Amino acid sequence: MTQHEAADGAAPQPPLVGLRAIVTGGASGIGLATALLLSAQGARVAVFDLATALESGVQQSLLGVPVDVTDDQSVTAGVGRVVDELGGIDILVNNAGIGARGTVEENPMAEWQHVFDVNVFGIVRVTRAALPYLRQSPSAAVVNTCSVAATAGIPARALYSATKGAVLSLTQAMAADHIGERIRFNCVNPGTADTPWVDRLLQAADDPAAERAALEARQPHGRLVTAEEVAGAIAYLAAPSSGSTTGVALPVDGGMQALRLRPVQR
Ligand code: NAD
């Protein structure tokens, strides 16, 4: 009998039944795919995102909460609303993030500050606000969306990569700090994923089709990662059945970080 199978032979229970989750940046792309998967697996899911993004993205099975992760009061109010409406927090997916293109010389300091504010300090704000409730959960898990940019040098991504390097280190440090409280912290490292974010990048390119082909070729499996594949990895790390997994970074990148293939002969 599997862990979730009912003793009387009835259909197995979805793995996240009874759990309450927050997904930041959950109105689009990886966050939306994650929110829908956690919900399909039985969790009650709140989506934190900017009010403008929530208007278009969030479906009825999800609780849309307008939160700007760069704003302390907004984060505190959002967490308070989740606790009021869902009764607690078991899973936190820190996924909200923005990109930046440029070498170390090219982005203005105000942009460095803003991208760190969203990608790193946003995780700090939401995690701090959620921790008192995660401590009350019998199966608390935090999953951060990091990136292959944390572990591989990617051209013209100095600022973005620096934020994701910080996300990786922060994930490991938080895993160490809170293991005694039985709160797990892990992250996923996607390669280039087929989301509205990447659509926007492609549309800004001189030749979007050539740019897409170059991005596909950069990943050894020859295509972009899907948002659903990243969501699957997040759901795996968030589930109580992963109770012995903490402090890890799980690549979802078609082999981009780990493999060294010979160039294709043409
Ligand atoms: P996306 O643009 O489709 O979604 C990001 C969401 O974050 C949006 O809904 C946006 O409104 C929200 N957001 C932005 N700023 C916010 C703020 N201040 N407060 C609250 N929400 C905010 O992007 P995506 O591709 O799904 O990216 C999601 C995460 O995955 C990001 O952390 C990104 O760095 C990471 N990632 C993406 C890729 C990729 O290729 N798409 C690769 C590696 C990692």
Side-chain angles (χ1 to χ4, degrees):
M1 191 171 72
T2 68
Q3 189 180 355
H4 306 298
E5 212 168 333
D8 59 2
Q13 272 215 335
L16 303 182
V17 164
L19 301 182
R20 293 107 356 140
I22 295 173
V23 181
T24 74
S28 173
I30 291 168
L32 179 57
T34 300
L36 292 173
L37 181 57
L38 298 183
S39 171
Q41 293 189 350
R44 284 179 295 153
V45 182
V47 159
F48 283 6
D49 210 310
L50 302 174
T52 45
L54 285 173
E55 279 164 23
S56 53
V58 170
Q59 307 181 7
Q60 280 181 346
S61 61
L62 309 172
L63 172 65
V65 183
V67 170
D68 180 343
V69 300
T70 68
D71 180 316
D72 287 324
Q73 285 186 341
S74 162
V75 167
T76 309
V79 167
R81 188 169 154 200
V82 171
V83 172
D84 285 348
E85 296 205 20
L86 304 186
I89 304 167
D90 306 285
I91 295 168
L92 169 60
V93 181
N94 283 308
N95 165 82
I98 56 173
R101 196 184 167 81
T103 69
V104 71
E105 293 179 299
E106 290 170 354
N107 306 90
M109 285 315 292
E111 189 179 2
W112 277 81
Q113 275 153 5
H114 180 60
V115 180
F116 264 87
D117 206 10
V118 178
N119 292 6
V120 183
F121 307 147
I123 293 181
V124 175
R125 287 186 187 93
V126 181
T127 305
R128 283 181 179 191
L131 266 171
Y133 307 101
L134 291 168
R135 286 190 179 105
Q136 295 169 23
S137 167
S139 50
V142 178
V143 185
N144 299 325
T145 307
C146 189
S147 171
V148 68
T151 55
I154 297 176
R157 293 289 184 280
L159 164 52
Y160 178 70
S161 300
T163 67
K164 292 301 182 176
V167 171
L168 176 60
S169 302
L170 177 61
T171 303
Q172 292 168 329
M174 294 191 296
D177 283 338
H178 300 288
I179 190 165
E181 299 177 308
R182 300 207 174 100
I183 306 172
R184 297 182 300 109
F185 288 78
N186 295 288
C187 65
V188 291
N189 288 6
T192 305
D194 203 352
T195 68
W197 166 328
V198 169
D199 277 347
R200 292 191 293 273
L201 277 178
L202 292 177
Q203 291 321 312
D206 291 339
D207 182 346
E211 179 68 11
R212 186 180 178 101
L215 291 176
E216 287 172 346
R218 191 169 67 178
Q219 290 174 154
H221 69 342
R223 63 171 174 83
L224 300 187
V225 174
T226 69
E228 288 72 24
E229 289 170 329
V230 184
I234 292 171
Y236 164 76
L237 291 169
S241 54
S242 299
S244 292
T245 303
T246 191
V248 310
L250 178 57
V252 191
D253 64 0
M256 188 175 164
Q257 174 59 43
L259 307 185
R260 293 292 178 276
L261 304 187
R262 291 164 58 122
V264 178
Q265 304 290 331
R266 297 188 190 281

Coordinates of all heavy atoms in Angstrom, one line a residue, residues 24-31 48-50 53 67-70 94-98 114 118-119 145-148 160 164 189-198 200, ligand 1:
T24 N 4.2 33.2 -4.2 CA 4.4 34.6 -4.6 C 4.7 34.6 -6.1 O 5.3 33.7 -6.6 CB 5.6 35.3 -3.8 OG1 6.8 34.8 -4.3 CG2 5.4 35.1 -2.3
G25 N 4.3 35.7 -6.7 CA 4.4 35.8 -8.2 C 3.6 34.7 -8.8 O 3.9 34.2 -9.9
G26 N 2.5 34.4 -8.2 CA 1.7 33.2 -8.6 C 0.6 33.5 -9.7 O -0.2 32.6 -10.0
A27 N 0.7 34.7 -10.3 CA -0.3 35.1 -11.3 C 0.2 34.8 -12.7 O -0.6 34.9 -13.7 CB -0.7 36.5 -11.2
S28 N 1.4 34.3 -12.9 CA 2.0 34.1 -14.2 C 3.0 33.0 -14.2 O 3.6 32.7 -13.2 CB 2.6 35.5 -14.6 OG 3.3 35.3 -15.9
G29 N 3.3 32.4 -15.4 CA 4.4 31.6 -15.6 C 4.6 30.4 -14.6 O 3.7 29.7 -14.3
I30 N 5.8 30.3 -14.0 CA 6.1 29.3 -13.1 C 5.3 29.3 -11.8 O 4.8 28.3 -11.3 CB 7.6 29.4 -12.7 CG1 8.5 29.0 -13.9 CG2 8.0 28.5 -11.5 CD1 10.0 29.4 -13.8
G31 N 5.0 30.5 -11.3 CA 4.2 30.7 -10.1 C 2.8 30.2 -10.3 O 2.2 29.5 -9.5
F48 N 0.2 35.4 -4.0 CA 0.6 36.8 -3.8 C 1.1 37.4 -5.1 O 2.1 36.8 -5.7 CB 1.7 36.9 -2.8 CG 1.3 36.7 -1.3 CD1 0.0 36.4 -1.0 CD2 2.3 36.9 -0.3 CE1 -0.3 36.2 0.4 CE2 1.9 36.8 1.0 CZ 0.6 36.4 1.4
D49 N 0.6 38.5 -5.6 CA 1.1 39.1 -6.8 C 0.7 40.5 -6.8 O -0.2 40.9 -6.0 CB 0.7 38.3 -8.1 CG 1.8 38.4 -9.2 OD1 2.2 39.5 -9.5 OD2 2.1 37.4 -9.8
L50 N 1.3 41.3 -7.7 CA 0.8 42.7 -7.9 C -0.6 42.7 -8.3 O -1.1 41.8 -9.1 CB 1.7 43.3 -8.9 CG 3.2 43.3 -8.6 CD1 4.1 43.9 -9.8 CD2 3.5 44.1 -7.3
A53 N -1.3 42.2 -12.0 CA -1.1 40.9 -12.5 C -2.2 39.9 -12.0 O -2.7 39.1 -12.8 CB 0.2 40.3 -12.0
V67 N -0.3 41.6 -3.3 CA 0.9 41.9 -2.4 C 2.1 42.3 -3.3 O 2.3 41.6 -4.3 CB 1.3 40.6 -1.6 CG1 2.7 40.7 -0.9 CG2 0.3 40.2 -0.6
D68 N 2.7 43.3 -2.9 CA 4.0 43.7 -3.5 C 5.1 43.3 -2.6 O 5.2 43.8 -1.4 CB 4.0 45.3 -3.7 CG 5.3 45.7 -4.4 OD1 6.3 45.0 -4.4 OD2 5.3 46.9 -4.9
V69 N 5.9 42.4 -3.0 CA 6.9 41.8 -2.0 C 8.0 42.8 -1.7 O 8.8 42.5 -0.8 CB 7.6 40.5 -2.6 CG1 6.5 39.4 -2.8 CG2 8.4 40.7 -3.8
T70 N 8.0 44.0 -2.3 CA 9.0 45.0 -1.9 C 8.4 45.9 -0.8 O 9.1 46.8 -0.4 CB 9.4 45.9 -3.1 OG1 8.3 46.7 -3.5 CG2 9.9 45.1 -4.3
N94 N 8.5 31.0 -2.5 CA 9.0 32.3 -2.8 C 9.5 32.3 -4.3 O 10.6 31.9 -4.6 CB 10.2 32.7 -1.9 CG 9.8 33.0 -0.5 OD1 8.9 33.9 -0.3 ND2 10.4 32.4 0.5
N95 N 8.6 32.8 -5.2 CA 8.8 32.7 -6.6 C 8.8 34.0 -7.3 O 9.4 34.1 -8.4 CB 7.7 31.8 -7.2 CG 7.7 31.8 -8.7 OD1 8.5 31.2 -9.4 ND2 6.7 32.6 -9.2
A96 N 8.3 35.1 -6.7 CA 8.2 36.4 -7.4 C 9.6 36.8 -7.8 O 10.5 36.7 -7.0 CB 7.5 37.4 -6.5
G97 N 9.8 37.3 -9.0 CA 11.1 37.7 -9.4 C 11.0 38.5 -10.7 O 10.0 38.4 -11.5
I98 N 12.0 39.3 -10.9 CA 12.1 40.1 -12.1 C 13.5 39.9 -12.7 O 14.5 39.5 -12.0 CB 11.8 41.6 -11.9 CG1 12.8 42.2 -10.8 CG2 10.4 41.8 -11.5 CD1 12.6 43.7 -10.7
H114 N 16.6 47.8 -6.9 CA 15.2 47.4 -7.1 C 15.2 45.9 -7.4 O 14.3 45.2 -6.8 CB 14.6 48.1 -8.3 CG 13.2 47.7 -8.5 ND1 12.2 47.8 -7.6 CD2 12.6 47.1 -9.6 CE1 11.0 47.3 -8.0 NE2 11.3 46.8 -9.3
V118 N 13.2 43.0 -5.0 CA 12.2 42.0 -5.4 C 12.8 40.6 -5.2 O 12.2 39.8 -4.5 CB 11.8 42.2 -6.9 CG1 10.8 41.1 -7.3 CG2 11.2 43.6 -7.2
N119 N 13.9 40.3 -5.8 CA 14.4 38.9 -5.9 C 14.9 38.3 -4.6 O 14.8 37.1 -4.4 CB 15.4 38.8 -7.0 CG 14.9 39.0 -8.4 OD1 13.7 39.4 -8.6 ND2 15.7 38.8 -9.4
T145 N 12.3 29.9 -5.7 CA 12.7 29.8 -7.2 C 14.0 30.5 -7.4 O 14.1 31.8 -7.3 CB 11.6 30.4 -8.1 OG1 10.4 29.8 -7.7 CG2 11.9 30.0 -9.5
C146 N 15.1 29.8 -7.6 CA 16.4 30.3 -7.9 C 16.6 30.3 -9.4 O 15.7 30.6 -10.1 CB 17.4 29.5 -7.1 SG 19.1 30.1 -7.1
S147 N 17.8 29.9 -9.9 CA 18.0 29.8 -11.3 C 19.3 29.2 -11.6 O 20.2 29.2 -10.8 CB 18.0 31.3 -11.9 OG 18.5 31.3 -13.2
V148 N 19.5 28.6 -12.8 CA 20.8 28.2 -13.3 C 21.8 29.3 -13.3 O 23.0 29.1 -13.2 CB 20.6 27.5 -14.7 CG1 20.3 28.5 -15.7 CG2 21.9 26.7 -15.0
Y160 N 21.2 40.1 -12.4 CA 20.2 39.0 -12.1 C 20.9 37.8 -11.5 O 20.4 37.2 -10.5 CB 19.6 38.6 -13.5 CG 18.6 37.4 -13.4 CD1 17.4 37.6 -12.8 CD2 18.9 36.2 -13.9 CE1 16.5 36.6 -12.6 CE2 18.0 35.1 -13.8 CZ 16.8 35.3 -13.1 OH 15.9 34.3 -13.0
K164 N 20.3 35.8 -7.8 CA 20.0 34.4 -7.7 C 21.1 33.6 -6.9 O 20.8 32.6 -6.2 CB 19.8 33.7 -9.1 CG 18.5 34.3 -9.8 CD 17.3 34.0 -9.0 CE 16.0 34.5 -9.6 NZ 14.8 34.1 -8.9
N189 N 16.3 25.3 -9.5 CA 17.1 26.1 -10.4 C 16.7 25.8 -11.8 O 17.3 25.0 -12.5 CB 18.6 25.8 -10.2 CG 19.2 26.3 -8.9 OD1 18.5 26.8 -8.1 ND2 20.5 26.2 -8.8
P190 N 15.7 26.6 -12.3 CA 15.3 26.4 -13.7 C 16.3 26.9 -14.7 O 17.0 27.8 -14.4 CB 14.0 27.2 -13.8 CG 13.6 27.6 -12.4 CD 14.9 27.6 -11.6
G191 N 16.4 26.2 -15.8 CA 17.0 26.8 -17.0 C 16.0 27.8 -17.6 O 15.1 28.2 -17.0
T192 N 16.2 28.1 -18.9 CA 15.3 29.0 -19.5 C 14.0 28.4 -19.7 O 13.9 27.3 -20.4 CB 15.9 29.5 -20.9 OG1 17.2 30.0 -20.7 CG2 15.0 30.6 -21.5
A193 N 12.9 29.0 -19.1 CA 11.6 28.4 -19.1 C 10.7 29.2 -20.0 O 10.7 30.4 -20.1 CB 11.1 28.3 -17.7
D194 N 9.8 28.4 -20.6 CA 8.8 29.0 -21.6 C 7.7 29.7 -20.8 O 6.7 29.1 -20.5 CB 8.3 27.9 -22.4 CG 7.8 28.4 -23.8 OD1 7.7 29.6 -23.9 OD2 7.4 27.6 -24.6
T195 N 7.9 31.0 -20.4 CA 6.9 31.7 -19.6 C 6.7 33.1 -20.3 O 7.5 33.5 -21.1 CB 7.4 31.9 -18.2 OG1 8.5 32.8 -18.2 CG2 7.8 30.6 -17.5
P196 N 5.7 33.8 -19.8 CA 5.5 35.2 -20.4 C 6.8 36.0 -20.2 O 7.0 36.9 -21.1 CB 4.3 35.7 -19.5 CG 3.6 34.5 -19.1 CD 4.6 33.4 -18.9
W197 N 7.6 35.8 -19.2 CA 8.8 36.5 -19.0 C 9.7 36.3 -20.3 O 10.3 37.3 -20.8 CB 9.5 36.0 -17.8 CG 10.9 36.4 -17.5 CD1 11.9 36.6 -18.4 CD2 11.5 36.5 -16.2 NE1 13.1 36.8 -17.7 CE2 12.8 36.8 -16.4 CE3 10.9 36.4 -14.9 CZ2 13.7 37.0 -15.3 CZ3 11.8 36.6 -13.8 CH2 13.1 36.9 -14.0
V198 N 9.9 35.1 -20.6 CA 10.8 34.8 -21.8 C 10.1 35.2 -23.1 O 10.8 35.7 -24.0 CB 11.2 33.3 -21.8 CG1 11.9 32.9 -23.0 CG2 12.1 33.0 -20.6
R200 N 8.5 37.9 -23.4 CA 8.8 39.4 -23.4 C 10.2 39.6 -23.9 O 10.5 40.5 -24.8 CB 8.6 40.1 -22.1 CG 7.2 40.1 -21.6 CD 7.0 41.0 -20.4 NE 7.6 40.5 -19.2 CZ 7.0 39.7 -18.3 NH1 5.8 39.2 -18.5 NH2 7.7 39.3 -17.2
Ligands
NAD1 P1 6.7 35.8 -15.0 O1 7.1 37.2 -15.3 O2 5.9 35.0 -15.9 O3 6.1 35.8 -13.5 C1 6.7 36.5 -12.4 C2 5.5 37.0 -11.5 O4 6.1 37.7 -10.4 C3 4.6 37.9 -12.2 O5 3.2 37.5 -12.1 C4 4.9 39.3 -11.6 O6 3.7 40.1 -11.5 C5 5.3 38.8 -10.2 N1 6.0 39.9 -9.5 C6 7.0 40.7 -10.0 N2 7.4 41.6 -9.1 C7 6.6 41.4 -8.0 C8 6.5 42.1 -6.7 N3 7.2 43.2 -6.4 N4 5.6 41.6 -5.8 C9 4.8 40.5 -6.2 N5 4.9 39.9 -7.3 C10 5.8 40.3 -8.2 O7 8.1 35.1 -14.7 P2 8.6 33.5 -14.6 O8 9.4 33.2 -15.8 O9 7.4 32.7 -14.2 O10 9.5 33.7 -13.3 C11 9.2 33.2 -12.0 C12 10.5 33.0 -11.3 O11 11.3 32.1 -11.9 C13 11.4 34.2 -11.1 O12 11.9 34.2 -9.7 C14 12.5 34.0 -12.1 O13 13.7 34.7 -11.7 C15 12.6 32.5 -12.0 N6 13.2 31.9 -13.2 C16 12.7 32.1 -14.4 C17 13.3 31.5 -15.6 C18 12.7 31.7 -16.9 O14 13.5 31.3 -17.9 N7 11.5 32.0 -17.1 C19 14.5 30.8 -15.4 C20 15.0 30.7 -14.1 C21 14.4 31.2 -13.0

